[in-house]
Amino acid sequence: MRGVKLGTPIFLGYVPVGAAFGILASRLGFSIGETIACSATALAGAGQFIALSLLKGGSSALTTLFATTVVNLRYLLFSTTLSPHLRDVSSGRKAWLAFTLTDETFAVNIADLREGRATPASMAGVGFIAWAGWVLGTLLGSVGAEWIGDPTRWGVEFAMPAMFAALFVALADDARAVAAGLMAAAIALVLPFAQHLGIGLDPAWFVVIASMCAATLASVVFRER
């Protein structure tokens, strides 16, 4: 239960964002069952939103799969960071922790580990309540999409950027993290002007390109520190 309590803020944040995903998916023609199945088996918020954006723009399934894979590669780094603390954990529990690994659950669990209080059970609880919030939000959004009408008038498209902005503020606890975040923001703001140079880019790629470039630059600039 301690993990569930730790993850309650994630639950509260995931419900509205999951609802936004459910609304947008319904608007694109996905059924309630398909939308809920997607959230219940993926739990990849940013990847799911990017997939919707690409599919809405007419991108192929292969392009969508590649983009979401690139976006979700960061979970390799997260799992590498957590793995030394999970050596004696059963394979089944590791699989659950891997399935429920998100930016938010990682942030909560790694902070709890630093305090020496995290256990596999608490981490599993954080993952469960996060998953429940995401699926519940998706269900509410899918079912309520018909009554809500045009989701853009509620600003639901800003839900994911807002959550990531809040996450950045919470986790950027030193100058290097702040600098990396600012680099990503600067690159993302510059990319729309690439079309004036004859470089046509789908806006859905801006975040992917900006995050990869900023992460690469930060790893080079701060390598010796």
Side-chain angles (χ1 to χ4, degrees), residues 169-189:
V169 171
L171 296 180
D173 55 358
D174 60 38
R176 292 177 297 176
V178 173
L182 292 178
M183 280 193 288
I187 295 170
L189 291 174

Side-chain angles (χ1 to χ4, degrees), residues 10-23 49 133-134 137-138 140 156 159:
I10 300 176
F11 175 89
L12 297 176
Y14 273 11
V15 169
V17 181
F21 174 77
I23 295 169
F49 274 96
W134 184 250
T138 300
L140 295 175
V156 296

Side-chain angles (χ1 to χ4, degrees), residues 5 7 19 23 37 52 80 96 106 124 132 174 178 188 199 201 206 224:
K5 183 178 179 180
I23 295 169
L52 282 182
T80 300
W96 173 253
F106 173 79
D174 60 38
V178 173
I199 304 174
L201 288 174
F206 291 170
E224 301 299 330

Side-chain angles (χ1 to χ4, degrees), residues 9 34 74 76 79 87 91 95 98 111 119 177 185 189 191 222 225:
E34 291 171 336
R74 67 190 186 282
L76 288 176
S79 59
R87 288 173 180 164
S91 298
T119 65
L189 291 174
L191 284 175
F222 302 124
R225 301 185 182 183

Side-chain angles (χ1 to χ4, degrees), residues 136-151:
L136 176 62
T138 300
L139 172 64
L140 295 175
S142 299
V143 173
E146 294 183 5
W147 294 278
I148 293 175
D150 183 4

Side-chain angles (χ1 to χ4, degrees), residues 18 98 154 203:
W154 301 98

Side-chain angles (χ1 to χ4, degrees), residues 2-3 6 105-123 126:
R2 181 172 174 273
L6 283 174
T105 60
F106 173 79
V108 170
N109 287 327
I110 202 67
D112 205 32
L113 280 170
R114 288 171 179 168
E115 295 178 358
R117 304 183 63 188
T119 65
S122 71
M123 296 169 74
V126 171

